[in-house]
Amino acid sequence: MTLDHSYFEEMEAKIPHGKVRTRFAPSPTGYMHVGNLRTALYTWLIARSHDGTFILRIEDTDQSRQVEGAVDVIYRTMAECGLTHDEGPDVGGPVAPYIQSQRRDTYGKYARLLVEKGGAYYCFCEKTESEEDSGEFDRAADPCRELTAQQVQEKLEAAGVDYTQEIPDVTGAILYNILSLVIPLVLVWVAFGFIMRKMAGGGGVMSVGKNKAKVYSQKETGVTFKDVAGQDEAKESLQEVVDFLENPGKYTTIGAKLPKGALLVGPPGTGKTLLAKAVAGEAHVPFFSISGSDFVEMFVGVGASRVRELFDEAKKNAPCIIFIDEIDAIGKSRDSRYGGGNDEREQTLNQLLAEMDGFDTSSGLLILAATNRPEVLDSALLRPGRFDRRVIVDRPDLKGRVDILKVHAKNVHLDETVDFEAIALATSGAVGSDLANMINEAAILAVKKGRNKVSQKDLFEAVEVVLVGKEKKNKILSAKEREIVSYHEVGHALVSALQKHSEPVQKITIVPRTMGALGYVMNVPEEEKYLSSEAELRARLVECVGGRAAEEIVFDSVTTGASNDIEQATKIARAMVTQYGMSKKFGLMGLEVAANQYLDDRTVMNCSDATAAEVDEEVRKVLQESYDEAKRLLTEHRKTLDQIAEFLIQKETISGKEFMEIFKRVEEENQPKPEIEAAEDSKTEAEPAEQAAVSEADASEVVPKSEASETEQAPETTENKEDM
């Protein structure tokens, strides 16, 4: 009887083609140990990584050696480990069941097809396994080869062959083996997968090299050049780039090419990132923003992969802008002096260099990068053709600070007393972020005081909060400490008032601040300066040590309160000697160079050890001269020092106007009267004895008075020493 071949055609059509199919075939003749699970995991991972099919076939045909409950254990182990299978009727698969003994119908049809094609025959002979294995059984002489189809059918019906058998359950023993062997392995695998996802940013092992750049549209940035103030030169340089992106035709006609990149360089907080967003907002193009640290991973090659993916995506969205913030994280010089020798960072840098060379300038792809450490960047990155422009985003000048204050205050309610120019004068050296913080602090202070508008007083108080911290109301100084701090701060202010080249005093206070200051003197320049003369620097030195000099003059001792003053004075004196050429001994020699021009003011000595020792001696000499000058000025104006200090102890805080009123009044009182001078001039030479007597009398009046003053102070000083 000829079989219907449509069945086999239908089965062949059900089997998936053109995809990976992995098969795991455990046998229930023993427990499922770790080696079985490892094989299953390996085949499952291959199928999943190639979007293929994982097939489970339980080989139970050797039923005489089966273990009770083994089939259930296999199913349960696979399920608990998450190794799901993809074929079989229980999961809607197209092919036969998983258990081989249950596939008799499928096997039987194909066996009959094989018999029909002459590739096999039915055999009903009694033979042993040993005969089969030894080859003693003679298949050629097998009488069953001559059976007709009818005879075969009769013998099959008479045999009644059943391939199924009930398998006993040994769940308890198998469960113990799972708990002791399989579960620890699974936990290790889960932990490993979790760690890999964390290192890859949540995407698993396969996504470790994925690009992390954020894409902003023009509406999402919401920043234009109107929102950037105080950086007119930087804006002008970037406006040309924006115009090129918007109107490339008028540049390409003459033969000009779009700059491949622009490097924004400047101190922290000056608005480099804000400028980059403004460029994207003005150009109305996609904006890819990523930090340099996002490229760096522990796996070598991941950073390079992310660079490739970033540029591929940017090319699809051209014209667009790529902004890499803190590019020094991946752009450091490959020289070992600057921390080179990192394979991952160097590969990332090499890939970035290759990508910047590879794209066409006419495609409208622009790279912006920001850093505050340009001195550590690789020279290959800075050459023309990669970063064609270096845009300096420096600290704003007086006009720039005024403009920045206006930008940040446009949504803040101000009263008529506000003068942004005065605030700008008081915040020399401040960057945009500092000024924005000051405006916000002023608004908070106004709300705390119950007002709906910000005043000039609020702004000045906010300046103090940002520079020296908030007032520490719970830090109460003793009477002796208040006196010392008062004399210390008045020493600074008085020396400043007595010198020609010093800046005017704005405020004196002995209220402790959160940043550690027990008091301070605020000086505000009358105008913005870009240069400092030697006379001005020496006046500044005298002012710095004026507080320490006042302590020594009044109390005949010194305290730790002058530590910051000494630090500032030493810094100025060293710069005068090593950088400014203001030392007669060294002349015009440059003995120090800046280490980080924009990040901090740290310098590095550029001389021999012997010269460095001489530099230290010269700096000490300059500081000693300044200290002597401060002591001279304060000694000559001791009465003024005492009266202003007494007034400050009572009020705790005095303005620059109050300080100058007391200063002028006391100084006028100490001036000799004109009538006395005229009387002394009118005396004749004929009265020498009388004149001598008068002089002696004056001396007797003056000396005791001075002695009395010292006597009055002596107990207080002694008592104060005991307290200290």
Side-chain angles (χ1 to χ4, degrees):
M1 180 178 177
T2 307
L3 295 174
D4 184 8
H5 288 201
S6 61
Y7 170 81
F8 304 102
E9 293 174 357
E10 293 174 1
M11 289 294 294
E12 186 70 19
K14 291 180 179 180
I15 298 174
H17 296 278
K19 63 187 298 185
V20 173
R21 302 178 72 213
T22 59
R23 187 175 74 96
F24 174 60
S27 175
T29 57
Y31 298 133
M32 190 173 181
H33 52 78
V34 176
N36 298 134
L37 186 61
R38 183 171 60 247
T39 304
L41 179 61
Y42 181 70
T43 55
W44 183 85
L45 285 173
I46 292 176
R48 288 293 179 267
S49 63
H50 294 85
D51 194 26
T53 300
F54 173 67
I55 306 168
L56 177 66
R57 294 278 186 263
I58 298 179
E59 301 284 355
D60 68 334
T61 54
D62 190 3
Q63 296 188 0
S64 62
R65 298 172 56 194
Q66 290 184 25
V67 176
E68 184 180 359
V71 174
D72 294 335
V73 170
I74 293 172
Y75 277 121
R76 192 161 55 251
T77 302
M78 302 290 285
E80 291 178 355
C81 295
L83 304 178
T84 55
H85 30 266
D86 303 293
E87 291 192 10
D90 59 335
V91 293
V95 202
Y98 297 103
I99 301 177
Q100 296 286 34
S101 62
Q102 298 177 4
R103 297 163 58 86
R104 183 180 59 182
D105 294 338
T106 303
Y107 288 151
K109 291 183 175 64
Y110 280 94
R112 287 194 293 273
L113 178 63
L114 190 61
V115 171
E116 181 182 291
K117 293 181 177 294
Y121 67 94
Y122 292 93
C123 183
F124 302 94
C125 296
E126 293 289 338
K127 52 186 179 294
T128 63
E129 186 175 349
S130 60
E131 289 177 334
E132 289 280 351
D133 294 340
S134 63
E136 295 177 359
F137 184 77
D138 189 3
R139 289 184 173 84
D142 190 354
C144 295
R145 296 176 68 94
E146 306 299 330
L147 295 176
T148 63
Q150 182 65 30
Q151 292 173 328
V152 169
Q153 185 65 32
E154 292 174 357
K155 287 183 176 293
L156 288 174
E157 293 175 357
V161 180
D162 188 7
Y163 296 96
T164 61
Q165 177 180 333
E166 184 178 355
I167 302 174
D169 187 13
V170 287
T171 306
I174 303 301
L175 185 61
Y176 174 78
N177 284 273
I178 293 175
L179 293 174
S180 61
L181 297 174
V182 177
I183 291 182
L185 180 63
V186 174
L187 291 176
V188 170
W189 176 255
V190 171
F192 179 75
F194 176 78
I195 294 172
M196 296 299 292
R197 285 194 296 272
K198 287 294 184 182
M199 290 189 298
V205 179
M206 296 300 179
S207 64
V208 71
K210 296 293 183 181
N211 173 33
K212 295 183 178 182
K214 299 178 182 178
V215 183
Y216 301 92
S217 66
Q218 188 270 337
K219 293 182 180 179
E220 290 174 331
T221 58
V223 181
T224 64
F225 284 138
K226 294 181 180 179
D227 302 309
V228 182
Q231 301 293 343
D232 295 339
E233 294 78 10
K235 285 199 302 184
E236 183 179 353
S237 298
L238 294 175
Q239 279 173 338
E240 298 174 4
V241 177
V242 171
D243 189 40
F244 203 118
L245 288 172
E246 291 182 333
N247 308 295
K250 67 179 184 180
Y251 293 95
T252 55
T253 302
I254 200 174
K257 295 180 179 180
L258 174 68
K260 285 190 176 182
L263 183 64
L264 306 177
V265 178
T270 51
K272 298 184 292 294
T273 304
L274 187 67
L275 273 168
K277 290 185 178 181
V279 171
E282 291 283 345
H284 305 279
V285 296
F287 181 62
F288 292 77
S289 177
I290 190 169
S291 175
S293 60
D294 289 337
F295 292 107
V296 182
E297 292 283 355
M298 67 176 291
F299 303 105
V300 177
V302 173
S305 174
R306 288 178 178 170
V307 171
R308 284 192 297 270
E309 186 175 348
L310 172 62
F311 276 83
D312 289 341
E313 189 173 354
K315 290 173 184 177
K316 296 176 184 177
N317 293 273
C320 65
I321 295 172
I322 298 175
F323 176 61
I324 305 175
D325 202 6
E326 306 297 342
I327 194 174
D328 51 274
I330 60 170
K332 282 185 180 179
S333 173
R334 288 163 287 188
D335 193 336
S336 59
R337 293 177 300 173
Y338 296 99
N342 187 298
D343 291 338
E344 164 61 7
R345 188 172 62 237
E346 288 187 8
Q347 285 196 16
T348 306
L349 174 59
N350 291 335
Q351 186 63 43
L352 177 62
L353 297 175
E355 293 290 346
M356 294 184 70
D357 275 340
F359 67 85
D360 186 8
T361 56
S362 62
S363 62
L365 187 61
L366 176 68
I367 301 179
L368 297 179
T371 183
N372 43 43
R373 300 181 65 194
E375 65 278 353
V376 304
L377 296 181
D378 196 275
S379 56
L381 193 65
L382 300 176
R383 72 162 176 82
R386 291 195 174 113
F387 283 110
D388 302 283
R389 291 192 175 187
R390 178 178 293 195
V391 180
I392 306 300
V393 190
D394 211 343
R395 300 180 186 274
D397 56 9
L398 177 63
K399 181 180 178 300
R401 293 196 296 275
V402 172
D403 294 338
I404 293 172
L405 289 169
K406 290 180 179 179
V407 168
H408 291 293
K410 62 182 178 181
N411 296 323
V412 179
H413 298 290
L414 308 173
D415 65 12
E416 64 280 356
T417 63
V418 172
D419 182 8
F420 285 133
E421 188 167 348
I423 302 298
L425 278 171
T427 54
S428 179
V431 297
S433 58
D434 295 330
L435 298 172
N437 191 23
M438 292 174 186
I439 293 291
N440 188 58
E441 288 289 343
I444 294 173
L445 288 171
V447 173
K448 287 174 64 177
K449 295 176 181 179
R451 291 183 278 104
N452 56 6
K453 289 186 178 181
V454 176
S455 66
Q456 185 77 350
K457 186 179 179 182
D458 295 328
L459 287 171
F460 267 112
E461 192 171 343
V463 171
E464 295 177 19
V465 169
V466 174
L467 295 180
V468 295
K470 290 182 175 291
E471 294 184 359
K472 294 189 71 171
K473 299 179 180 179
N474 59 344
K475 191 170 185 177
I476 302 175
L477 301 178
S478 65
K480 179 62 177 176
E481 288 177 330
R482 284 168 57 88
E483 186 181 13
I484 294 174
V485 175
S486 179
Y487 271 100
H488 183 103
E489 302 304 334
V490 173
H492 287 305
L494 186 57
V495 168
S496 177
L498 292 171
Q499 295 185 107
K500 180 180 179 182
H501 300 283
S502 296
E503 296 175 348
V505 177
Q506 174 72 24
K507 181 180 180 180
I508 311 173
T509 181
I510 57 172
V511 179
R513 296 279 172 165
T514 54
M515 291 186 180
L518 299 178
Y520 68 92
V521 177
M522 179 183 287
N523 297 83
V524 178
E526 296 177 342
E527 59 181 1
E528 184 84 343
K529 289 185 177 181
Y530 301 98
L531 296 174
S532 297
S533 65
E534 183 177 356
E536 291 171 340
L537 292 176
R538 289 192 177 273
R540 177 63 180 151
L541 284 176
V542 177
E543 181 185 345
C544 287
V545 298
R548 171 74 171 249
E551 291 183 19
E552 185 175 351
I553 292 172
V554 177
F555 304 102
D556 196 25
S557 67
V558 294
T559 66
T560 59
S563 60
N564 186 62
D565 300 330
I566 294 173
E567 180 183 349
Q568 295 296 324
T570 304
K571 185 177 179 180
I572 296 172
R574 180 170 289 276
M576 292 173 63
V577 174
T578 60
Q579 300 179 54
Y580 305 150
M582 296 180 180
S583 169
K584 294 181 180 179
K585 182 173 184 178
F586 295 103
L588 302 179
M589 290 182 63
L591 303 173
E592 279 186 348
V593 293
N596 295 315
Q597 182 181 358
Y598 300 105
L599 193 59
D600 54 34
D601 296 329
R602 187 172 60 88
T603 57
V604 178
M605 293 294 292
N606 188 25
C607 61
S608 65
D609 293 341
T611 304
E614 294 180 5
V615 167
D616 293 339
E617 179 61 26
E618 185 71 9
V619 170
R620 189 202 63 79
K621 181 180 177 183
V622 173
L623 292 174
Q624 187 62 45
E625 291 174 354
S626 302
Y627 190 64
D628 294 339
E629 176 66 13
K631 290 174 66 176
R632 184 189 68 81
L633 291 173
L634 294 176
T635 303
E636 293 178 355
H637 300 269
R638 174 64 186 273
K639 290 184 178 180
T640 307
L641 176 66
D642 292 336
Q643 293 194 26
I644 299 177
E646 183 180 353
F647 184 75
L648 181 60
I649 293 173
Q650 296 174 358
K651 296 205 57 178
E652 290 189 340
T653 300
I654 61 176
S655 65
K657 184 178 180 181
E658 291 174 320
F659 166 75
M660 291 305 299
E661 288 177 353
I662 300 174
F663 172 76
K664 291 178 180 179
R665 176 172 56 80
V666 176
E667 289 295 313
E668 289 177 358
E669 291 176 357
N670 293 333
Q671 292 293 328
K673 297 181 179 180
E675 56 270 18
I676 296 177
E677 293 179 354
E680 291 179 350
D681 293 338
S682 63
K683 292 181 179 181
T684 62
E685 298 179 355
E687 301 173 343
E690 184 180 353
Q691 187 176 356
V694 172
S695 299
E696 291 176 2
D698 293 339
S700 64
E701 292 178 2
V702 173
V703 173
K705 187 180 288 185
S706 178
E707 291 176 354
S709 177
E710 292 177 2
T711 305
E712 292 173 2
Q713 293 178 2
E716 185 179 352
T717 304
T718 304
E719 183 182 352
N720 293 337
K721 286 183 179 179
E722 292 176 356
D723 293 339
M724 294 175 68

